[in-house]
């Protein structure tokens, strides 16, 4: 076999000659979802029963997920959080951002921002994470509506 024909055959394969890499799991299986996608699904699952019960009161509220909170360091090197932050120790888990006006003068809706990485770090397993997400959502929605968290949960 001539050298020229070997080179042409290798161009269509990866450099180790094992073929192109494919996904480890088919996209239809739950294992194929990323951690962020699984967390988003947990948030939606925790929000559905609350939203079903309080639909009319929550029409002007958005729920969002962010990986980590923005850190604001004060002049004395002390961490400070804005109002509406639920924290564990000194690490924020979620934040309620009230309705207002953005920098361009456009009105914004109120929103709850859940911080994925701090919540995941505090959970022992998937069931614990689901409970923690539910508890934080209930607390933030109660704060938004000005009610007791037990009233929101309704268990």
């Amino acid at each position: 076999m001539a050298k020229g024909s070997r080179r042409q055959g290798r161009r269509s394969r990866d450099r180790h000659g094992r073929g192109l890499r494919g996904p480890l799991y088919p996209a239809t299986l739950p294992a194929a979802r990323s951690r962020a996608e699984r967390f988003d699904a947990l948030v939606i699952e925790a929000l559905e029963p609350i939203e079903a019960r309080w639909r009319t009161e929550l029409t002007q509220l958005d729920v969002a997920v962010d990986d980590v909170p923005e850190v604001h360091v004060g002049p004395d090197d002390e961490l400070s959080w804005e109002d509406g932050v639920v924290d564990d120790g000194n690490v924020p888990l979620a934040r309620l951002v009230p309705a207002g006006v953005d920098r361009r003068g456009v009105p914004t809706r109120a929103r709850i921002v859940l911080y994925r990485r701090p919540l995941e770090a505090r959970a022992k397993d998937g069931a614990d994470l689901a409970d923690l997400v539910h508890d934080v959502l209930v607390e933030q929605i109660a704060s938004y509506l000005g009610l007791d968290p037990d009233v929101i949960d309704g268990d």
Side-chain angles (χ1 to χ4, degrees), residues 2 6 18 25 36 51 53-54 61 70 74 76 100 105 113 115-116 120 122-123 126 130:
R6 278 189 202 161
R18 297 183 194 124
Y25 296 104
E51 195 174 51
R53 185 168 181 215
W54 298 92
L61 178 70
E70 290 182 24
D76 55 352
V113 181
Y115 299 118
R116 178 178 65 87
E120 287 176 338
R122 273 145 188 78

Side-chain angles (χ1 to χ4, degrees), residues 38-101:
R38 288 191 301 267
F39 187 84
D40 291 346
L42 268 177
V43 171
I44 291 169
E45 186 178 306
L47 185 61
E48 282 177 346
I50 298 169
E51 195 174 51
R53 185 168 181 215
W54 298 92
R55 182 171 312 280
T56 56
E57 291 85 353
L58 300 179
T59 56
Q60 296 299 313
L61 178 70
D62 294 330
V63 177
V65 174
D66 207 352
D67 282 337
V68 293
E70 290 182 24
V71 176
H72 301 286
V73 179
D76 55 352
D77 291 333
E78 186 174 314
L79 292 175
S80 62
W81 308 114
E82 292 123 15
D83 291 337
V85 172
V86 173
D87 60 352
D88 178 24
N90 203 16
V91 178
L93 304 177
R95 177 176 177 221
L96 174 62
V97 180
V101 179

Side-chain angles (χ1 to χ4, degrees), residues 9-21:
R10 288 187 181 173
R11 287 184 191 159
S12 64
R13 301 178 73 175
D14 70 325
R15 67 183 199 150
H16 296 291
R18 297 183 194 124
L20 299 174
R21 286 186 163 195

